[in-house]
Amino acid sequence: MRPVNLYLLTRNQNKNTYTPFENILSARHERVPVKEHEFQSLRHLVDILWQQGVAIPEMDGFFYSYTIRQIGKEFDLLKVCVNRKVLNIELKSLAVSEEKIERQLQKNRYYLGTLAPQLELYTYVEETGKLYTLKEEALCETSFTELTAVIKNFQIYEDGNLDQLLQAKNYLISPLNMPEEFLENRYFLTQQQEMIKKTICEEMGRNPLQNPQKADANKAQFWGITGIAGTGKTLLIYDLAKEMAQTGRVCLIHCGMLSEGHKLLDSMMQNVDIISVSDLLACALSIYAFLLIDEAQRMSENALDFIREKAETERKVCVFSYDYFQILSKTEQRRNIPAQLEDLPGFQELKLSGRIRSNREMNSFIQTLLDLKNRQQGDRYTYENVDVLYAANALEAERIIRFYQTERGYTFIEYDEPLADCPGDINVLEAAGMEFDNVIITLTSHFRYNEDGVLQGNAHPNPDYSYYRLLFQSVSRTRERLCIVVISDETLFAKVLSIQQY
């Protein structure tokens, strides 16, 4: 995508050609429809600027309707001079509350603050003819004379693609990896996450522990939040815990091993206790108004029955977060907790769709690693962020892994037999809900491809676990870069390497 000249863009007034004309001028790779009311608001703003004396060259360099990929954050107008200043103008055809305008500009400040120290943030409301800006964190009405001066002084600007400057990874946090940022509220939820949070919190007001006047005192509330890896379940469940803690005590139950991130959040979050599901039966749940269960697909039937009994008896709000495809053992597969949740009285499932955490190229590689036929069907990626390496033995593998750990900042996720002198940075069983920019793993003769090109795993020493599922859990923690070290299996190495040779 490239910037456009606003004067040239708005000369076309034929609604039948708005979209193709804008898409061509902006050099979009994918068709983006232009709504008539939005285009008319832009037209009116340009007419005002023209009357204020803004010349055609000064209207150059604006990105129109730019969206940060993966998280869907959109900006109506952007003009950027990296490391110096950014001009952002939002367009409203109809009047909206000043509270909404301020909230949007505050969010824009957060996202654009990574680009430059000086941010000029405005909102033009066509219906009222008013112009707003942020000054010292507060919204105030301003004049078009001020905006004109800002535009006239903005002579140097970026004319390349903003995708490299506004990357989703700079705004996505994991509470378990980045607890300080989470506790300091240095993040925003996606629109879909916000909708789910709003739905649960609005219904929460009918719970007798929060609002006796509106509640059916005989009912608990059971909610489910589901979605595949990377859709933002963990952030949402911890954000809910923080929200709920303002009105009652929260027990957040993690169905797995507690990581250092869990322990740190437990010590720092007000009115929230984080426990492992293994400690559930010994926990006095009666002191909590809210029960939040993360990685619920891994919990036992006894744990589910215990939570149900306590919730129904004491009318608690329960929220389960789960992903059926992230099960690690055969026992988890057989008991199918997500299906059992549907039998809870009044259970409502809310679904997160669309990955926000992982990039398309990495997703494509992981899917092709599991099934080589996917390479023929998918996008023609080069997979430049994936290294496939060979080690003749465990000693060579240890050397490679230590090099990637110390020199390149990779996290070694251990899921296979441990290497004697190179322990993993984290075990796969601890990594649930976590993510890492750079991940390195091993691939051994425990794996092979069948005649159809589908990756298969040998039997695990623990009959309840599956090498295949442990591998998938490990690689799906990757945000940016992945390194696979194939140990002493040249046939397997050649197969994996072929993914990058297509």
Side-chain angles (χ1 to χ4, degrees):
M1 184 178 180
R2 67 187 179 193
V4 299
N5 184 291
L6 298 184
Y7 184 86
L8 301 181
L9 175 63
T10 54
R11 294 313 90 194
N12 173 35
Q13 300 183 50
N14 186 338
K15 64 180 180 180
N16 296 320
T17 56
Y18 285 159
T19 293
F21 181 56
E22 188 282 329
N23 285 196
I24 291 170
L25 278 186
S26 294
R28 296 185 187 273
H29 296 299
E30 298 177 357
R31 183 180 183 275
V32 175
V34 177
K35 297 178 181 178
E36 183 177 356
H37 67 274
E38 294 177 348
F39 196 77
Q40 290 303 325
S41 296
L42 175 60
R43 171 83 186 204
H44 288 148
L45 175 62
V46 170
D47 288 346
I48 292 172
L49 295 176
W50 177 258
Q51 294 169 8
Q52 290 282 328
V54 179
I56 294 177
E58 294 166 336
M59 296 192 199
D60 223 0
F62 283 88
F63 289 89
Y64 175 68
S65 190
Y66 176 80
T67 300
I68 301 177
R69 294 184 179 184
Q70 296 177 257
I71 58 178
K73 173 56 184 172
E74 183 181 357
F75 304 91
D76 289 339
L77 295 174
L78 276 182
K79 195 168 186 177
V80 178
C81 179
V82 177
N83 297 326
R84 291 186 58 189
K85 58 185 176 180
V86 175
L87 171 59
N88 166 225
I89 307 173
E90 295 298 321
L91 306 171
K92 307 292 180 186
S93 57
L94 300 176
V96 296
S97 69
E98 292 187 357
E99 179 184 356
K100 287 186 177 181
I101 293 174
E102 181 174 3
R103 186 161 59 243
Q104 182 184 36
L105 293 184
Q106 292 287 7
K107 282 189 176 183
N108 290 4
R109 178 189 295 276
Y110 167 76
Y111 287 109
L112 299 174
T114 61
L115 298 181
Q118 182 181 345
L119 303 180
E120 304 287 354
L121 307 173
Y122 294 86
T123 295
Y124 166 62
V125 183
E126 180 189 354
E127 184 180 37
T128 63
K130 292 182 177 181
L131 183 69
Y132 297 90
T133 188
L134 277 184
K135 289 188 183 298
E136 297 180 355
E137 303 295 326
L139 186 73
C140 62
E141 190 175 346
T142 189
S143 67
F144 289 96
T145 301
E146 177 185 309
L147 177 58
T148 297
V150 170
I151 293 175
K152 284 181 170 293
N153 289 328
F154 209 127
Q155 301 300 323
I156 302 173
Y157 55 86
E158 298 295 321
D159 58 3
N161 199 323
L162 285 184
D163 289 348
Q164 293 301 314
L165 300 175
L166 291 169
Q167 297 186 43
K169 69 173 186 177
N170 296 328
Y171 312 105
L172 301 175
I173 75 163
S174 166
L176 304 179
N177 292 80
M178 309 168 73
E180 292 85 2
E181 288 84 347
F182 172 73
L183 293 172
E184 294 172 5
N185 298 315
R186 285 189 273 157
Y187 65 93
F188 283 102
L189 300 180
T190 65
Q191 184 176 9
Q192 193 176 45
Q193 288 171 321
E194 288 279 13
M195 287 301 296
I196 291 177
K197 178 180 177 181
K198 180 180 179 182
T199 299
I200 294 175
C201 289
E202 285 182 350
E203 287 295 319
M204 209 171 72
R206 301 179 184 179
N207 184 277
L209 297 177
Q210 283 73 54
N211 197 333
Q213 302 304 317
K214 295 185 179 180
D216 180 345
N218 296 316
K219 290 186 178 180
Q221 291 184 24
F222 295 101
W223 297 89
I225 300 174
T226 186
I228 60 175
T231 50
K233 298 184 300 299
T234 298
L235 177 59
L236 179 54
I237 202 77
Y238 279 81
D239 182 79
L240 276 170
K242 191 160 53 175
E243 180 77 18
M244 292 172 171
Q246 298 179 31
T247 56
R249 196 162 177 183
V250 178
C251 182
L252 201 157
I253 304 161
H254 178 70
C255 300
M257 300 171 60
L258 295 184
S259 66
E260 290 303 315
H262 288 112
K263 297 171 185 177
L264 183 58
L265 287 174
D266 179 54
S267 67
M268 299 178 69
M269 291 184 73
Q270 297 290 326
N271 228 19
V272 177
D273 293 324
I274 301 174
I275 68 169
S276 170
V277 71
S278 60
D279 300 321
L280 176 64
L281 299 182
C283 182
L285 293 186
S286 59
I287 65 174
Y288 300 104
F290 306 99
L291 305 179
L292 306 185
I293 302 91
D294 196 19
E295 303 292 336
Q297 73 275 4
R298 295 182 184 150
M299 70 191 311
S300 69
E301 291 169 319
N302 287 340
L304 177 58
D305 291 341
F306 183 71
I307 290 172
R308 174 175 180 168
E309 178 186 356
K310 291 292 184 181
E312 289 186 313
T313 302
E314 301 169 8
R315 305 182 305 278
K316 300 182 185 299
V317 174
C318 296
V319 183
F320 299 85
S321 172
Y322 51 90
D323 173 12
Y324 178 77
F325 296 102
Q326 287 287 317
I327 57 176
L328 298 180
S329 71
K330 297 175 183 177
T331 299
E332 293 170 358
Q333 184 177 20
R334 283 193 300 269
R335 62 190 174 217
N336 194 357
I337 291 297
Q340 295 193 42
L341 293 176
E342 296 176 6
D343 296 329
L344 295 172
F347 178 75
Q348 298 184 60
E349 182 180 84
L350 304 170
K351 187 173 183 179
L352 286 167
S353 59
R355 296 174 185 265
I356 60 172
R357 189 183 65 201
S358 45
N359 60 63
R360 292 180 180 178
E361 184 171 0
M362 191 59 64
N363 292 336
S364 172
F365 180 86
I366 291 171
Q367 293 304 315
T368 308
L369 175 68
L370 303 179
D371 186 346
L372 296 175
K373 295 191 297 297
N374 286 329
R375 183 55 163 152
Q376 300 171 6
Q377 302 167 0
D379 297 313
R380 300 299 187 263
Y381 292 119
T382 59
Y383 300 127
E384 60 185 23
N385 292 319
V386 178
D387 294 341
V388 178
L389 307 176
Y390 181 77
N393 50 52
L395 180 60
E396 288 186 359
E398 290 173 2
R399 293 169 180 163
I400 293 171
I401 292 169
R402 280 196 293 268
F403 169 71
Y404 268 74
Q405 286 174 307
T406 59
E407 301 299 325
R408 298 189 174 180
Y410 278 62
T411 299
F412 177 29
I413 299 181
E414 189 176 77
Y415 73 95
D416 205 338
E417 295 175 358
L419 297 172
D421 297 318
C422 188
D425 293 303
I426 189 169
N427 185 279
V428 65
L429 300 179
E430 300 176 82
M434 303 180 73
E435 58 194 43
F436 307 93
D437 285 343
N438 308 315
V439 169
I440 185 168
I441 64 161
T442 59
L443 207 58
T444 69
S445 55
H446 288 139
F447 294 91
R448 66 189 183 283
Y449 285 97
N450 65 15
E451 294 180 355
D452 296 324
V454 177
L455 187 66
Q456 311 225 308
N458 293 340
H460 194 278
N462 182 338
D464 199 33
Y465 285 116
S466 160
Y467 274 124
Y468 181 91
R469 293 189 181 279
L470 293 173
L471 169 66
F472 178 70
Q473 170 74 356
S474 300
V475 294
S476 65
R477 302 301 94 196
T478 308
R479 292 181 66 178
E480 294 298 320
R481 296 179 179 273
L482 174 66
C483 178
I484 298 176
V485 182
V486 181
I487 304 177
S488 62
D489 190 327
E490 294 183 356
T491 300
L492 180 62
F493 172 67
K495 291 284 188 180
V496 178
L497 190 64
S498 70
I499 299 173
Q500 296 176 301
Q501 295 175 319
Y502 189 86

